[in-house]
Amino acid sequence: MENLDWKNLPFGYVPTKYNVRCYYRNGEWGELEVYDTPMFNLHIAATCLHYSQQAFEGQKAFKCPDGKVRVFRIEENARRMQATCRGLIMPEFPTDRFVEMACKVVKLNSEYLPPYESGASLYIRPLMIGISPQVGVSPATEYMLVMFVTPVGPYFKGGFSTNDYAIVRDYDRAAPLGTGTYKTGGNYAASLLANKMAREAGYTCEFYLDAKEKKYIDECGAANFFAIKNNTYITPKSTSILPSITNRSMQQLAKDMGMKVECRDIPVEELETLEEAGAVGTAAVISPIGKIKDLGTGVEYVISKDGKPGPICTKLYEKFRGIQYGTEPDIYNWMTVIE
Ligand code: PLP
Ligand code: COI
């Protein structure tokens, strides 16, 4: 792909050659099928369109300096998609077949793997939808799982640097016992207005408090929140946030660096006392936070005094990227090498 500007890729959609699909009919999953078109026909009464029977995932593949291609913790994405499917009464797709499908779609599109030096990666997007018609609110009987890939750069412009966030109190992305723990499109539709409001106020992204009491930090746009204080990695315990695979991995790395890890309620006022903080997720990796402005109360919390990423965020980021690119030992077997 000579004509792609790898170094300046946004986090966006670039067409690639092939996608891989699998259909669920008559109570079972079929064979993997390769397509060279991004289009498909869909019934006008498909449940994904009307009642949001939809589950998706996101993961990255990397071209490493040793010439190998590695994918990060893809089995965990398979498991989380299974959890989303259970929550939306969709059929679960087996972990081993999910891994096989992800490896296949990366291999078929290997010419789109960004070079190591670019810092970009190949984003894998698995998507499952209900395709059979229903007009009453009930689950479909037929489903399609598709995986496509697209080369992506950093989620936020500027890569590893601080961003400012805005607490939006006017909207919730998910209810305490709602679908927040599932990776389903409706949560993202529900986030669009809050995101627009934050951006229009001049901030990179929106920040949510818990929907019930509006007292605690919940989700950080399309990423989890973490903070560093007193040699401790702190992250919210909540029933309305997505269980982030990247966050869980960072907790392990923080422990390995001799830090404590606390998963607990984080009152919004505690933002004043943090040494460092960041957004954490597949797309965000670690995106250190500069300031957080509460658009409701007008209070501004300055996290990074000099506007630069802090030392612990930097250390975690470098260790994590090193594991993904095969330059640091992968002691937990997080990486799948694509042969
Ligand atoms: N929170 C939300 C709402 C997300 O969309 C994502 C991205 O998948 C995350 C957190 C981070 O999860 P992960 O690290 O598994 O990508
Ligand atoms: C992620 O993969 O980290 C995301 O949050 C994906 C986002 C574009 C919905």
Side-chain angles (χ1 to χ4, degrees):
M1 281 301 109
E2 306 285 310
N3 53 350
L4 275 178
D5 183 5
W6 300 114
K7 275 205 162 68
N8 295 307
L9 276 179
F11 191 93
Y13 179 76
V14 172
T16 52
K17 271 204 182 128
Y18 302 104
N19 57 85
V20 182
R21 305 180 196 180
C22 188
Y23 285 89
Y24 180 89
R25 292 191 181 106
N26 303 316
E28 59 185 15
W29 289 104
E31 299 299 314
L32 303 189
E33 299 171 34
V34 177
Y35 286 77
D36 61 3
T37 167
M39 310 301 282
F40 58 84
N41 283 321
L42 191 57
H43 195 288
I44 55 170
T47 62
C48 65
L49 297 177
H50 298 258
Y51 306 127
S52 290
Q53 255 204 321
Q54 190 261 25
F56 74 102
E57 275 300 327
Q59 196 45 272
K60 284 174 174 170
F62 304 89
K63 195 177 213 167
C64 302
D66 62 4
K68 293 184 176 155
V69 175
R70 289 177 173 83
V71 183
F72 184 70
R73 302 194 78 172
I74 189 74
E75 304 84 357
E76 293 301 317
N77 292 92
R79 291 190 191 108
R80 189 170 61 193
M81 181 171 257
Q82 290 156 5
T84 302
C85 288
R86 286 193 294 275
L88 303 178
I89 319 197
M90 297 167 72
E92 293 176 45
F93 194 72
T95 305
D96 56 336
R97 296 200 69 199
F98 188 96
V99 174
E100 182 195 344
M101 201 168 169
C103 293
K104 193 176 177 95
V105 73
V106 170
K107 249 173 139 162
L108 284 167
N109 295 289
S110 57
E111 64 194 288
Y112 296 92
L113 269 157
Y116 169 64
E117 300 74 31
S118 68
S121 54
L122 192 67
Y123 186 72
I124 309 167
R125 170 56 63 86
L127 167 74
M128 194 195 294
I129 54 173
I131 55 173
S132 56
Q134 295 287 2
V135 174
V137 180
S138 52
T141 54
E142 295 184 357
Y143 294 83
M144 179 185 72
L145 173 63
V146 56
M147 289 194 196
F148 67 84
V149 292
T150 193
V152 293
Y155 196 55
F156 298 124
K157 261 198 275 177
F160 189 68
S161 54
T162 58
N163 288 291
D164 296 342
Y165 285 74
I167 296 173
V168 174
R169 289 171 179 263
D170 297 4
Y171 306 102
D172 297 316
R173 75 176 271 286
L177 299 177
T179 54
T181 55
Y182 305 137
K183 201 157 168 72
T184 184
N187 296 336
Y188 299 81
S191 76
L192 292 173
L193 265 177
N195 183 267
K196 182 166 179 264
M197 200 170 160
R199 284 169 173 272
E200 282 175 358
Y203 295 86
T204 305
C205 198
E206 81 283 15
F207 204 93
Y208 299 95
L209 300 184
D210 77 281
K212 194 172 175 187
E213 297 187 82
K214 297 275 179 203
K215 273 191 186 161
Y216 306 105
I217 291 161
D218 211 48
E219 195 71 294
C220 192
N224 278 179
F225 174 80
F226 77 97
I228 306 292
K229 182 167 107 171
N230 301 332
N231 199 36
T232 308
Y233 181 108
I234 309 165
T235 192
K237 186 177 167 69
S238 163
T239 57
S240 52
I241 63 176
L242 194 75
S244 157
I245 298 160
T246 318
N247 190 0
R248 212 169 343 124
S249 310
M250 291 297 174
Q251 291 172 36
Q252 185 61 55
L253 298 183
K255 278 186 202 156
D256 295 350
M257 288 172 187
M259 299 174 71
K260 284 194 294 260
V261 172
E262 289 176 4
C263 190
R264 61 163 169 84
D265 287 341
I266 307 175
V268 64
E269 302 76 36
E270 194 175 342
L271 289 175
E272 268 174 36
T273 67
L274 303 179
E275 292 160 18
E276 297 180 38
V280 59
T282 297
V285 194
I286 278 184
S287 292
I289 296 177
K291 290 184 277 205
I292 302 174
K293 171 85 178 236
D294 189 329
L295 296 183
T297 61
V299 177
E300 184 177 82
Y301 302 92
V302 178
I303 312 272
S304 167
K305 308 282 179 278
D306 61 1
K308 296 198 183 109
I312 294 176
C313 282
T314 307
K315 211 168 144 188
L316 284 168
Y317 177 85
E318 282 173 358
K319 179 81 186 174
F320 185 76
R321 296 292 275 176
I323 295 170
Q324 291 185 322
Y325 281 110
T327 58
E328 288 275 351
D330 176 22
I331 60 172
Y332 299 108
N333 276 321
W334 284 343
M335 307 309 295
T336 298
V337 175
I338 299 187
E339 301 298 345

